[in-house]
Amino acid sequence: LDCVVIGPAAGLTETTARNLSALAQTQAALVVDADALTLFKARAEDLFACLDGQDVITPHEGEFERLFPGLLEQGREAAAVEAGRLSGAHVVLKGRETVIAAPDGRTRIKRNGSPWLATAGSGDVLAGLIGGLIAQGMEPFDAASAAAWMHADAAGRFGPGLTAEDLPGLIPGVLAHLR
């Protein structure tokens, strides 16, 4: 395995926690999202013990606050940097301006946000895009940055009425436009 996405529809059960722990023992990079983040609300250190510098966590602000209580008070960019340091993983703090922070403190801010991404499941698609790019050999920081940009660009192209199911089919057009 090169990369595994865990979390979307995984369930808020100890089985998900055990699966994450088992996957952490492999050489695969992990992209941790959704249920696999929420599950560790009161025990973030258990999650962090499973992560390393090849891994990516993709919280929205609610999930972020559950893992890093009070950290957002210092601002999104500073909070993401601190979260990367604390977790030892790359952090994709999703939002209108998505902040990507590496464990070594590097940051990128994706400013092409789209309100159309505020729909159920769109974050799951982002996690999959990040995982796919890592599996193809891209470094996690660059994979997270590129995926976040493509994700938002696709949503902006589609506009109102976007559903998560629309996003994967839009990515080839985003890539073709770059040529």
Side-chain angles (χ1 to χ4, degrees):
L1 300 173
D2 292 317
C3 186
V4 177
V5 176
I6 183 167
L12 296 172
T13 67
E14 281 309 302
T15 299
T16 299
R18 286 192 300 274
N19 287 339
L20 177 64
S21 181
L23 289 166
Q25 303 305 309
T26 71
Q27 296 298 314
L30 303 177
V31 179
V32 185
D33 186 42
D35 289 351
L37 295 174
T38 298
L39 181 62
F40 289 94
K41 175 184 178 183
R43 53 188 179 137
E45 292 301 323
D46 292 345
L47 171 62
F48 303 159
C50 294
L51 302 175
D52 63 35
Q54 293 302 306
D55 301 330
V56 180
I57 62 174
T58 59
H60 56 60
E61 286 189 3
E63 293 162 336
F64 189 93
E65 184 62 28
R66 288 190 278 274
L67 293 172
F68 305 99
L71 217 52
L72 283 170
E73 293 171 10
Q74 59 185 282
R76 289 173 53 81
E77 186 173 358
V81 169
E82 182 64 7
R85 187 188 69 72
L86 290 170
S87 68
H90 294 78
V91 176
V92 177
L93 177 53
K94 299 180 288 198
R96 185 177 60 82
E97 290 189 344
T98 294
V99 180
I100 299 98
D104 64 10
R106 289 175 293 153
T107 59
R108 287 189 181 133
I109 300 174
K110 182 212 41 84
R111 300 187 195 281
N112 66 332
S114 170
W116 318 125
L117 287 172
T119 186
S122 69
D124 301 349
V125 175
L126 175 59
L129 287 170
I130 295 167
L133 292 173
I134 292 171
Q136 293 178 64
M138 194 176 273
E139 292 298 316
F141 184 68
D142 292 331
S145 300
W149 184 87
M150 290 187 298
H151 187 247
D153 191 67
R157 289 169 186 267
F158 190 92
L162 176 79
T163 66
E165 291 80 12
D166 297 319
L167 286 164
L170 297 168
I171 298 303
V174 170
L175 295 174
H177 185 72
L178 293 174
R179 299 175 95 203

